[in-house]
Amino acid sequence: MMDWMLREQGSRDWRLLPVALTLWSASLSAHLAFDEWSTAAQPETAKTAINNAISTSATALTHVMTAIAIILSVVLIMAMRLRTRWMGTVAVCLAVACIGGITAIAADSVAWRDSASVWARNHGTLTQVRATVIAPMVASDRREYACQADVRLNGISTDTAIPSARSEQVKPTMQRSSAQARVYMPAQHCSIIHRGAVYHLSGTLQESEYGRMPLWLLVEDGSAVAQVEEPPWYRATIEHMQQSFFHATERLSDQGRILVPGLTMGVLGQDYVGVADAPAYETSSNMPTTSHTNAINETYSSTLEERFQRSGIMHLMAVSGGHFVLLADMVRRTCMRLLLTRSVSAMLMACSYVLLALLMFPGDSVTRALIMGLLGIAAYGIGRRSQSVSALSWTVIIVLIVNPDMSRSYGFALSSAAVIGIVLFAKPLSDAFHRLLPKPIAQMTAMTMGAQIFTLPIQILMEPELPLLSIPANLLVSPFVGFATLTGLMALFCAWCAPWLAGLFAWIASLGTLIMEQVAMLIGASDWAVLPWPDGVSGAVLMLAAEGGLAALAVFTVRVVRRCGQEDADADLPGRHFGSTRRLRMMLWWRETRRLLNPDTDGR
């Protein structure tokens, strides 16, 4: 026990990793169990729905707590009798499993009993809602609508009267609600929706057919959309900066208009709505320009997105920890140049992280990168070494307890899986590849392979395809990702005050995205780009088994090569080869034992 404690490494703290994995598994299992139990209930009235929800949540909570209590008792008894050193870890894991199951079922019960959810299950007809927009307006994924936005409902009314702007007459008839919904709108309403503002919306509220949002609000032509509260000042400022940046990219070619916003902010150019309202301005005469009134070619944009997915580099179009690392490194170097103290540098880095997260399009990967980055900055501020695995584990624990629905998020899972793969396997793989490849290529290959070790099973759950050429594609674009992202961020930061400079930075960023486009078009068009794979959970488990088999084969091959090399090296040395150390010890022990029992012999 003491030897194990002495071998503890403060530079590699993995103690919270099993705790985070247990919490995630418990939360996801509770969500799936609640979905199964609630699917069978088809209430006819709101009262029946509430009673059914109470009984369903109580049944689910009882079953989960009973199962966890039984498992907890058995494991603790076995651990205490065996007196294993993992007893504390097992107890903590089972405790967080209880927390994860309880919070997930509680969140699902609250969502199930919400007045908007009850109305959508029972009626699904025309209604009025009061909602706060929580995500920017983007192009709709349904053909019959032009745009969509995510909202948080504040109230719901079954009154068919349409409220006027700034009207408070419908307040008494509204039932309180806190559900989240996705609003689909026609083109006439797309340009008047602002993030952070509060609206009265009239449309059909129904349960969603796909996606994470539980409810859909379908606003038809002629329906009322009235703004009742202005967005906060910081939301209005951020929206102005984003619109100015998108207007700067309108002067680029189609690939730049699509990829530069995707690489910088996490949303492709053809998906953003609201650029047409941005103010016009002059641009530099030596800049290549195109008319911002021209729409992006739909065939080209869909083909480009498909080729990026087939090439395995679609993750570049999502905001990840790389954006925050680049910004933090720039701020830290500036603070060191100015000889600022560590605490001041940490404070400025934290402010830059929050500002960057506000400017990016909202996403689960942004949430993961922000929280994990702030934990690393806190460690830097107090003079401690940053622990990537520990910071990621704390991030998962905090996020899943505060928002249990994140356990079902593919974006959060992909981001976390990529980070843990890079942290655990990038260094060993880089050392192994460095024997055969130059160091920069070995590092980039190890980074790509480490990120894909745990993300491939999750990707198969989303799309049953295996990107065979993703490693060479990532190697080709890796040298250009950093400077293209940095110049894109510089264009975003200065677009509101220096449009000509933002246009210059956006054009420089488009030179890097041009390389990405050429790589995606070349590799994505190959017949060998993707390999069909079984879908569902079976496909993900098969991928994990295949990765485990390849890892075992690689370890076995390395050991065989080392043993053969050692034998070849020992063949030229004088003396006799005794074999393995364990065999030699057994042989010496047997010889001494025989000599002890029969002193007249020499032990042979």
Side-chain angles (χ1 to χ4, degrees):
M1 184 67 178
M2 184 60 65
D3 293 340
W4 172 73
M5 293 178 63
L6 292 176
R7 289 197 300 268
E8 180 71 24
Q9 297 183 19
S11 61
R12 198 179 65 171
D13 188 358
W14 295 1
R15 292 172 294 178
L16 282 176
L17 183 58
V19 178
L21 293 176
T22 303
L23 177 62
W24 200 323
S25 302
S27 179
L28 183 59
S29 300
H31 281 307
L32 296 177
F34 190 92
D35 291 341
E36 289 292 331
W37 288 324
S38 62
T39 301
Q42 297 294 334
E44 297 181 355
T45 63
K47 184 176 179 180
T48 307
I50 294 176
N51 294 334
N52 226 333
I54 295 174
S55 61
T56 301
S57 59
T59 304
L61 184 60
T62 302
H63 289 176
V64 171
M65 291 302 300
T66 302
I68 292 177
I70 294 174
I71 297 174
L72 177 62
S73 302
V74 173
V75 173
L76 285 180
I77 291 174
M78 294 178 60
M80 291 178 66
R81 298 189 64 157
L82 296 175
R83 295 186 179 182
T84 176
R85 70 187 184 208
W86 298 105
M87 184 176 64
T89 302
V90 172
V92 174
C93 288
L94 291 174
V96 298
C98 294
I99 296 174
I102 293 172
T103 54
I105 292 177
D108 288 342
S109 301
V110 171
W112 177 266
R113 296 178 56 187
D114 190 88
S115 58
S117 300
V118 174
W119 174 265
R121 286 195 303 270
N122 296 331
H123 304 282
T125 57
L126 183 67
T127 185
Q128 298 172 13
V129 300
R130 179 187 175 100
T132 302
V133 181
I134 59 176
M137 186 70 70
V138 295
S140 173
D141 54 9
R142 303 186 63 183
R143 291 184 179 274
E144 56 268 32
Y145 297 95
C147 55
Q148 68 183 42
D150 295 339
V151 300
R152 184 190 305 107
L153 302 181
N154 303 327
I156 176 175
S157 173
T158 59
D159 191 355
T160 57
I162 299 176
S164 59
R166 309 285 182 181
S167 177
E168 300 294 336
Q169 297 178 356
V170 297
K171 241 182 191 180
T173 64
M174 280 201 169
Q175 303 177 17
R176 295 188 61 180
S177 174
S178 59
Q180 293 188 356
R182 176 157 293 171
V183 181
Y184 291 93
M185 294 185 177
Q188 63 185 20
H189 299 312
C190 294
S191 60
I192 63 174
I193 300 298
H194 304 281
R195 184 182 179 187
V198 181
Y199 295 88
H200 276 306
L201 305 173
S202 178
T204 302
L205 187 66
Q206 66 180 40
E207 292 183 302
S208 62
E209 300 176 4
Y210 53 85
R212 284 184 58 199
M213 283 294 171
L215 302 175
W216 284 354
L217 181 64
L218 309 179
V219 179
E220 307 295 343
D221 289 330
S223 300
V225 176
Q227 180 176 324
V228 295
E229 289 185 16
E230 296 285 343
W233 65 269
Y234 67 92
R235 288 294 182 194
T237 303
I238 291 172
E239 185 178 21
H240 175 67
M241 295 177 65
Q242 291 175 344
Q243 285 192 349
S244 301
F245 170 72
F246 275 96
H247 193 68
T249 61
E250 286 290 298
R251 268 59 181 179
L252 305 175
S253 60
D254 277 359
Q255 69 85 17
R257 295 167 66 186
I258 295 173
L259 299 181
V260 171
L263 186 68
T264 305
M265 295 180 54
V267 59
L268 297 178
Q270 73 269 20
D271 294 334
Y272 182 75
V273 176
V275 180
D277 296 335
Y281 56 83
E282 297 296 331
T283 185
S284 177
S285 59
N286 60 348
M287 288 286 301
T289 62
T290 59
S291 176
H292 70 280
T293 58
N294 296 332
I296 297 176
N297 188 289
E298 294 184 4
T299 303
Y300 171 77
S301 62
S302 59
T303 303
L304 183 61
E305 188 172 357
E306 178 190 5
R307 297 291 173 82
F308 263 76
Q309 291 177 348
R310 287 173 57 88
S311 302
I313 56 176
M314 193 63 191
H315 63 276
L316 298 176
M317 298 298 109
V319 178
S320 62
H323 292 67
F324 293 87
V325 170
L326 288 173
L327 183 61
D329 185 66
M330 185 170 59
V331 174
R332 182 179 60 84
R333 290 178 181 273
T334 303
C335 293
M336 292 176 63
R337 176 80 60 172
L338 297 176
L339 300 179
L340 299 179
T341 62
R342 186 189 299 269
S343 58
V344 175
S345 301
M347 188 179 301
L348 293 176
M349 291 166 63
C351 293
S352 64
Y353 265 46
V354 174
L355 177 60
L356 182 62
L358 290 174
L359 286 173
M360 298 297 101
F361 260 58
D364 299 334
S365 60
V366 177
T367 302
R368 195 278 311 162
L370 174 62
I371 299 177
M372 186 175 174
L374 291 178
L375 292 175
I377 291 174
Y380 173 78
I382 62 177
R384 296 289 298 273
R385 180 175 179 177
S386 178
Q387 296 279 347
S388 299
V389 177
S390 180
L392 178 62
S393 301
W394 274 113
T395 301
V396 171
I397 293 171
I398 293 171
V399 170
L400 295 187
I401 291 178
V402 175
N403 185 9
D405 193 54
M406 290 289 280
S407 61
R408 295 186 286 191
S409 169
Y410 281 113
F412 189 72
L414 286 171
S415 179
S416 303
V419 171
I420 194 65
I422 291 173
V423 172
L424 296 183
F425 298 106
K427 184 63 167 60
L429 290 175
S430 177
D431 295 339
F433 294 153
H434 185 44
R435 301 174 181 270
L436 304 174
L437 300 172
K439 187 175 181 179
I441 299 179
Q443 290 177 345
M444 289 187 292
T445 305
M447 189 79 66
T448 303
M449 292 187 64
Q452 290 187 350
I453 288 176
F454 295 120
T455 57
L456 278 180
I458 303 174
Q459 291 177 1
I460 288 173
L461 291 175
M462 302 169 60
E463 188 71 26
E465 292 180 346
L466 182 63
L468 297 178
L469 303 179
S470 61
I471 293 179
N474 280 274
L475 288 178
L476 291 174
V477 302
S478 292
F480 309 97
V481 173
F483 94 89
T485 302
L486 190 58
T487 52
L489 290 176
M490 295 174 70
L492 174 62
F493 286 135
C494 66
W496 64 278
C497 60
W500 65 270
L501 187 58
L504 176 62
F505 285 134
W507 177 72
I508 296 174
S510 68
L511 298 180
T513 57
L514 178 63
I515 305 297
M516 303 176 194
E517 183 233 14
Q518 296 296 323
V519 171
M521 287 295 187
L522 176 63
I523 295 181
S526 173
D527 296 335
W528 299 93
V530 294
L531 175 69
W533 196 266
D535 60 349
V537 178
S538 59
V541 173
L542 180 61
M543 173 54 62
L544 287 174
E547 291 179 343
L550 291 176
L553 179 61
V555 172
F556 176 75
T557 303
V558 169
R559 289 185 177 180
V560 170
V561 170
R562 286 180 178 177
R563 182 173 299 178
C564 294
Q566 184 67 28
E567 291 178 356
D568 294 341
D570 293 343
D572 298 333
L573 297 177
R576 179 181 176 186
H577 181 64
F578 290 95
S580 64
T581 306
R582 187 172 301 175
R583 180 182 176 185
L584 179 60
R585 289 179 179 178
M586 291 297 298
M587 184 180 65
L588 293 176
W589 174 81
W590 177 247
R591 181 180 299 177
E592 295 298 327
T593 302
R594 292 190 60 184
R595 182 179 299 174
L596 176 65
L597 298 177
N598 191 1
D600 297 335
T601 64
D602 58 354
R604 297 180 182 177

